[in-house]
């Protein structure tokens, strides 16, 4: 969707939510559309309201919310959001990967790399090297 199409969509959604402020699906779509337009700061309150109201796509909402917080420099809040999302959706690879990016932004690189390795291992993405990667996820500094 082009930026112009997204702007038109956003205008329509904002008009609809004015009449239905407690509709979680409308709030979620507004958050997503703000993100699509690069208006992440404006998306945050809509993500928060969506989660408060209980939108149907909570997994996507947690991922989008945490990612948006990271993009706007709220790294600690992003990690907290991903942690809450992962309580509801344990092991979700997208949330784990985005959480690792937020950890990196907090200068917690070792923890971030270890988590990314675990995501790859858990999703069988290492062509048979999962056992070695699982070991090094916990022992990144080890050499012989």
């Amino acid at each position: 969707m082009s930026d112009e199409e997204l702007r038109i969509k956003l205008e329509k959604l904002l008009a609809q939510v004015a009449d239905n402020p407690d509709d979680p699906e409308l709030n979620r779509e507004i958050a997503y559309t703000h993100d699509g337009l690069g208006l992440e700061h404006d998306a945050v309150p809509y993500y928060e309201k969506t989660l408060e109201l209980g939108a149907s796509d909570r997994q996507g909402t947690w991922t989008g919310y945490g990612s948006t917080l990271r993009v706007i420099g709220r790294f600690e809040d992003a990690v907290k959001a991903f942690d809450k999302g992962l309580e509801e959706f344990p092991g979700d690879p997208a949330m784990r990967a985005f959480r690792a990016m937020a950890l990196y932004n907090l200068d917690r690189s070792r923890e971030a790399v270890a988590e990314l390795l675990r995501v790859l291992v858990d999703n069988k993405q290492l062509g048979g090297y999962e056992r070695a990667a699982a070991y090094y996820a916990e022992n990144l500094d080890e050499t012989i």
Side-chain angles (χ1 to χ4, degrees):
M1 206 175 261
S2 72
D3 281 357
E4 183 59 28
E5 291 168 322
L6 284 172
R7 279 196 265 305
I8 291 167
K9 178 181 178 179
L10 181 60
E11 287 176 24
K12 289 178 183 177
L13 289 168
L14 290 170
Q16 290 175 330
V17 85
D19 294 330
N20 302 293
D22 293 330
D23 183 323
E25 310 309 325
L26 279 175
N27 280 280
R28 185 193 70 230
E29 282 303 311
I30 291 169
Y32 288 169
T33 305
H34 275 108
D35 274 350
L37 287 166
L39 303 171
E40 284 84 357
H41 289 277
D42 295 330
V44 170
Y46 291 99
Y47 277 120
E48 290 170 347
K49 185 140 188 180
T50 298
L51 290 165
E52 174 189 317
L53 295 170
S56 60
D57 180 19
R58 289 184 65 80
Q59 190 170 8
T61 302
W62 279 118
T63 304
Y65 178 51
S67 177
T68 295
L69 291 171
R70 190 194 74 78
V71 167
I72 64 173
R74 292 176 53 188
F75 308 129
E76 288 284 351
D77 291 335
V79 171
K80 289 176 188 174
F82 289 126
D83 287 345
K84 287 181 184 176
L86 287 164
E87 287 175 15
E88 286 186 46
F89 303 97
D92 179 76
M95 274 189 257
R96 290 171 66 196
F98 281 100
R99 182 180 182 277
M101 287 188 269
L103 291 171
Y104 169 82
N105 294 125
L106 290 167
D107 292 323
R108 293 165 57 185
S109 298
R110 187 182 187 297
E111 191 178 344
V113 170
E115 181 59 15
L116 289 174
L117 285 171
R118 285 188 215 97
V119 170
L120 292 169
V121 167
D122 292 349
N123 289 280
K124 309 263 188 274
Q125 298 294 308
L126 295 169
Y129 290 96
E130 286 80 11
R131 183 172 176 219
Y135 177 82
Y136 286 115
E138 305 307 320
N139 301 283
L140 277 170
D141 299 317
E142 182 178 301
T143 61
I144 55 171

